[in-house]
Each structure stands twice: as C-alpha cells, then as structure tokens.
Amino acid sequence: SQTIHQWPATLVQPVGSPLSLECTVEGTSNPNLYWYRQAAGRGLQLLFYSVGIGQISSEVPQNLSASRPQDRQFILSSKKLLLSDSGFYLCAWSVLGPYGYTFGSGTRLTVV
Amino acid sequence: SQQGEEDPQALSIQEGENATMNCSYKTSINNLQWYRQNSGRGLVHLILIRSNEREKHSGRLRVTLDTSKKSSSLLITASRAADTASYFCATVPRGGGNKLTFGTGTQLKVEL
C-alpha cells in the first residue's frame, strides 16, 4: 500500500538555526512531490514541487530550499530560520492524471 | 496565491442537518478537488470532479461544478459530529501540470 511519512510532528527552533524536514513515500514510483505551508487558520501555499530526482521548482521566493536526493525522498531545508518561517508544513505526493494528492501528517514548526 | 475562495468561512449546524460549502475559482481548470482537514492534521482527499463533469457523488458527499460560473459546491448530507473539520477546495489549472492550488477553507462544526 502507498504511504507517506513526514517527521518530526512538532519542532521548535530558534531564529537563525538551520532546518531540515524530511518526507518519504512508500508504495509508488516516480511520484510528484510537494511541500506546502499552512499559516494558522489559512489555506495551503505551495512552496516547492518536484517531478523527479534533482528536479525542484520553487513557487515563491523565500528563505527555504528543497531537495530530492532519491525518488521517494523530499527534503525541506533552511540555513537560517526566520520568525516568519513558523507554520504547518505538509508534504504530499501525486501521480500524473486526475487523481488526488496524498498528504503527510504535517510538521508544526515554531520559530522562537 | 489562493485560487479558490470558500464560502462560508465558518459553518455551524446540528447533527443530522445538511452542510453546504461553496468554492469559487479564477482560472480555467482541469479538475477540482475537495479535501478535509481535522485540526492539526494532514489533508484527506474526498472527491475529484473533472471539468467536463457537472455532479459527482461519494457516499454522503455530493459535489457540483459549474465551469461557466467558476464555482463548485460540496454538500454533506445527514451530517455527523465526526464531520467536524475544515474543508478545502483545490483546483488543477488547465495546462498547469498537476499542481494543486487551494482555497482558504470552510470550518464546519457539527453539534450534537
């Protein structure tokens, strides 16, 4: 069966510290992978998406970067966190065609 | 940027009543999807309706799509307390690959 793992669930980091959030997918090959951020009480904003290993598209200019070192691994990083990076980060995968996304359980990041 | 706007932002009903949520979007689409999010959790895909479809059913869910008005509605019949969650519409734009753009969501509360 297809599953998606995202960790950690909760993270509190000081301003200026680095960040690494990892997402892995099981049970599917060559998925499209996505990182979204959700501000409190708001909709989801697409940050990055990837259609293959090493292929990253950024949707908004920001303090974050993404990498896809393996087919089913997607990493969200920052060298120096800002207060405005706080939020709920969600990883998702999909396949091409009229199918829905499968989301991970999310990471709540608080930058203090 | 947000493609869709849900209406209402919040909805409170009694168990057994029907809940209707509306979504408007701006650009031509390939398909429109509805997702559910329980507080602090990831999103769960509920239903997908293609641009050439006008209505779709899944269990207690009924989705309509009016591409001339660029709008969709989600009806939950005979609501239950367990339906309490946030509901988001999301669109895949025509010619926009498989990237989902989410609306701002409707918070539904079903009271006993």
Side-chain angles (χ1 to χ4, degrees):
Chain A
S1 64
Q2 299 147 342
T3 57
I4 180 168
H5 302 282
Q6 189 180 343
W7 67 92
T10 305
L11 192 59
V12 180
Q13 292 281 101
V15 170
S17 64
L19 173 73
S20 181
L21 301 181
E22 189 164 343
C23 171
T24 59
V25 179
E26 294 178 4
T28 186
S29 295
N30 197 30
N32 289 350
L33 296 173
Y34 310 87
W35 279 110
Y36 282 85
R37 177 169 59 200
Q38 185 178 31
R42 302 291 300 278
L44 279 72
Q45 180 185 36
L46 179 62
L47 302 177
F48 300 96
Y49 73 95
S50 171
V51 298
I53 295 173
Q55 299 179 63
I56 309 294
S57 295
S58 174
E59 289 295 295
V60 292
Q62 59 205 317
N63 184 42
L64 302 168
S65 62
S67 62
R68 185 171 178 174
Q70 300 179 44
D71 181 46
R72 286 171 282 184
Q73 184 185 29
F74 205 22
I75 298 171
L76 184 69
S77 304
S78 174
K79 293 182 179 178
K80 289 185 177 181
L81 284 169
L82 306 172
L83 287 174
S84 57
D85 292 324
S86 294
F88 191 49
Y89 289 83
L90 289 153
C91 179
W93 72 268
S94 75
V95 294
L96 283 177
Y99 306 104
Y101 284 16
T102 300
F103 280 85
S105 53
T107 295
R108 178 140 335 262
L109 172 66
T110 303
V111 182
V112 297
Chain B
S1 63
Q2 299 292 339
Q3 159 77 311
E5 296 290 333
E6 277 94 335
D7 169 52
Q9 289 187 330
L11 179 62
S12 183
I13 59 174
Q14 298 294 311
E15 198 170 49
E17 294 180 337
N18 295 341
T20 299
M21 289 160 268
N22 303 296
C23 166
S24 61
Y25 58 91
K26 298 175 183 175
T27 62
S28 295
I29 61 171
N30 272 336
N31 65 71
L32 183 146
Q33 304 175 27
W34 285 90
Y35 287 79
R36 166 196 168 122
Q37 183 182 33
N38 285 59
S39 181
R41 307 293 297 274
L43 280 75
V44 175
H45 179 253
L46 296 176
I47 196 166
L48 180 152
I49 186 166
R50 304 184 193 201
S51 61
N52 61 352
E53 297 177 311
R54 291 296 167 259
E55 187 171 313
K56 204 160 185 179
H57 298 254
S58 177
R60 294 185 295 114
L61 305 179
R62 172 177 168 251
V63 168
T64 61
L65 178 64
D66 186 336
T67 53
S68 67
K69 295 180 180 179
K70 290 186 170 59
S71 67
S72 173
S73 68
L74 171 68
L75 169 67
I76 304 175
T77 59
S79 62
R80 307 165 181 168
D83 293 328
T84 295
S86 292
Y87 292 82
F88 294 89
C89 71
T91 54
V92 174
R94 190 175 302 283
N98 206 34
K99 292 184 292 180
L100 268 181
T101 302
F102 282 83
T104 50
T106 293
Q107 285 188 310
L108 173 66
K109 183 175 182 181
V110 181
E111 301 187 76
L112 294 170

